Amino acid sequence: MNQNNNKNEKNSSQISQEELMKTQVLNLQDVEEAARYEKATSKKPAILVAVIGFFAIFLGTSLPFVNSLMNQKDTSLKTDKTIEKKQILNTESNLNCTYTSLNNPDGTDTVLNIKLTFNNNKLIRTEKIFSINATIGNPLGITSVQTYINAYQPFLQQSIAGYQMTSTPVENGLIITSNVDLKTFNPETFPELHKSNVATNVDYILNTEKNLVNNDLATKGFTCQ
């Protein structure tokens, strides 16, 4: 009887140990499964955060570049518009006319150059340059040049609105210049002294048509371009 009881107790103890080991294995498997699940589920937010971070960095670095490109494009458009506007507003044109007279009886060579400026083909400014030089080999030339220098001095004494004049002696010659801004010049107050001289007279009034000026100077022997 005792032997049977001992056997039963031994078998019962072995069964209890086996069940305990199985339970521990199952518990270990549950723990491992839970750990794998936690890792898997914890990776998803990490990956999501990483992706969001990447796009944030990309956008942060690319925005200045995009803004730079946009600014360059805007600047280019503004420059093009400015150039186009200047081209539209720049409606001025010039006419350069020259009359040359060599071996004059007083022993001089003279050249009269007239530069005329037009806006929309209407005259707004004129510039005259009258050059007097002693003819080479003619003894009268030097005396005549000195006579011209003295004769133009009274022209310089008067102040005229919209009109400027200079007299500059050079070696064996003289250069007379006159500049007229016809927008501020008043022909009614222009002195008779200046009107009587080819180098100082103002030949055309404000807004004279370009083709009329060109034709008139051509008939007087000027070469225009």
Side-chain angles (χ1 to χ4, degrees):
M1 246 341 251
N2 290 333
Q3 289 180 351
N4 291 332
N5 288 335
N6 290 335
K7 286 182 181 180
N8 290 334
E9 289 178 0
K10 186 177 182 180
N11 291 334
S12 176
S13 176
Q14 288 178 352
I15 292 172
S16 298
Q17 289 179 356
E18 289 177 359
E19 289 178 353
L20 179 62
M21 289 180 65
K22 287 181 180 180
T23 301
Q24 289 177 344
V25 169
L26 289 175
N27 289 339
L28 179 60
Q29 289 176 347
D30 290 340
V31 171
E32 290 177 348
E33 187 67 25
R36 282 196 297 271
Y37 177 78
E38 184 177 355
K39 286 182 181 180
T41 54
S42 63
K43 283 182 180 179
K44 290 181 181 180
I47 295 172
L48 182 59
V49 170
V51 170
I52 293 173
F54 171 77
F55 278 107
I57 294 172
F58 175 76
L59 291 174
T61 55
S62 62
L63 278 176
F65 177 71
V66 173
N67 289 334
S68 176
L69 290 178
M70 292 299 294
N71 290 335
Q72 289 178 2
K73 186 176 181 181
D74 290 344
T75 303
S76 177
L77 290 174
K78 290 178 181 178
T79 303
D80 292 341
K81 288 181 180 179
T82 302
I83 294 173
E84 183 179 355
K85 186 176 180 180
K86 286 183 178 180
Q87 289 176 344
I88 293 173
L89 295 177
N90 187 15
T91 57
E92 289 191 1
S93 61
N94 296 316
L95 188 64
N96 290 289
C97 300
T98 304
Y99 182 89
T100 303
S101 179
L102 304 176
N103 298 313
N104 296 314
D106 62 356
T108 63
D109 300 327
T110 60
V111 178
L112 177 58
N113 177 262
I114 306 177
K115 179 181 178 180
L116 307 107
T117 303
F118 301 84
N119 185 23
N120 288 321
N121 292 323
K122 295 183 183 297
L123 185 64
I124 57 172
R125 290 191 302 273
T126 63
E127 178 187 27
K128 282 185 176 181
I129 302 176
F130 186 53
S131 301
I132 307 168
N133 291 283
T135 303
I136 297 175
N138 192 327
L140 296 176
I142 300 298
T143 303
S144 296
V145 168
Q146 187 60 50
T147 301
Y148 281 115
I149 292 174
N150 296 331
Y152 276 108
Q153 290 305 307
F155 291 80
L156 304 172
Q157 305 305 316
Q158 301 186 52
S159 178
I160 305 168
Y163 183 95
Q164 292 183 337
M165 177 188 167
T166 62
S167 176
T168 307
V170 294
E171 185 178 0
N172 297 327
L174 177 68
I175 298 176
I176 304 297
T177 64
S178 60
N179 291 276
V180 187
D181 183 355
L182 293 172
K183 291 179 289 185
T184 58
F185 173 75
N186 185 358
E188 295 182 0
T189 62
F190 195 51
E192 291 296 328
L193 179 64
H194 294 69
K195 291 180 182 179
S196 62
N197 190 277
V198 66
T200 59
N201 186 33
V202 179
D203 304 291
Y204 307 102
I205 63 173
L206 179 67
N207 292 330
T208 303
E209 293 288 342
K210 185 176 183 178
N211 62 331
L212 294 177
V213 174
N214 191 16
N215 293 336
D216 182 60
L217 290 173
T219 59
K220 294 177 179 177
F222 283 80
T223 301
C224 297
Q225 59 181 10

